[in-house]
Amino acid sequence: MRSVLRILVFVPLGLAFLYFAVANRGPVKIFLDPFPGAGESGPSFETPLYLVVLAAIALGVVAGGLSSWVAHGRYRRAAKVARADAKKARSEADQLRGQALASLSPAPGSSSRSLRNDMG
């Protein structure tokens, strides 16, 4: 089911990116100087428009993912502490269970039949 859903989402999305790239392959000049002079001199390069747009989208996705990861840091920390507490409680419960079973087991030399008679 998940693979069908992925196909239904990612194939049209990929085709849309492909069509966008084919339709916008003309070169654009990108200036790296935020305050170009009248002669527009300074660091610049030419690249197809679709690369600029897709790079901006990718940068936005990475920035959003990073901000989400940083924002959820406190929950990851709390989950780590809860896992450690659960592991400690589980080991204590196993230890207590072992002690309880050891106290219920028959003493050496006595039979299990006498234990059953004592209990019921």
Side-chain angles (χ1 to χ4, degrees):
M1 180 67 182
R2 291 181 89 185
S3 61
V4 172
L5 184 62
R6 286 181 182 174
I7 289 172
L8 289 176
V9 171
F10 289 121
V11 168
L13 192 61
L15 288 174
F17 281 142
L18 181 67
Y19 293 143
F20 178 79
V22 170
N24 294 292
R25 61 182 182 264
V28 292
K29 193 166 191 173
I30 305 296
F31 291 96
L32 301 176
D33 184 8
F35 305 109
E40 293 184 359
S41 63
S44 66
F45 61 94
E46 283 194 21
T47 185
L49 176 62
Y50 74 90
L51 283 180
V52 174
V53 173
L54 293 179
I57 291 171
L59 185 64
V61 167
V62 169
L66 184 63
S67 69
S68 176
W69 182 78
V70 168
H72 290 99
R74 74 176 87 149
Y75 302 113
R76 285 191 309 277
R77 250 187 319 275
K80 184 178 179 180
V81 169
R83 277 192 301 270
D85 288 345
K87 185 177 180 181
K88 182 179 176 184
R90 195 174 303 120
S91 69
E92 287 177 7
D94 289 341
Q95 182 183 7
L96 291 172
R97 186 177 298 116
Q99 289 174 357
L101 288 175
S103 69
L104 289 178
S105 66
S110 67
S111 67
S112 61
R113 178 174 246 165
S114 66
L115 180 63
R116 285 188 196 146
N117 290 337
D118 291 342
M119 293 177 71

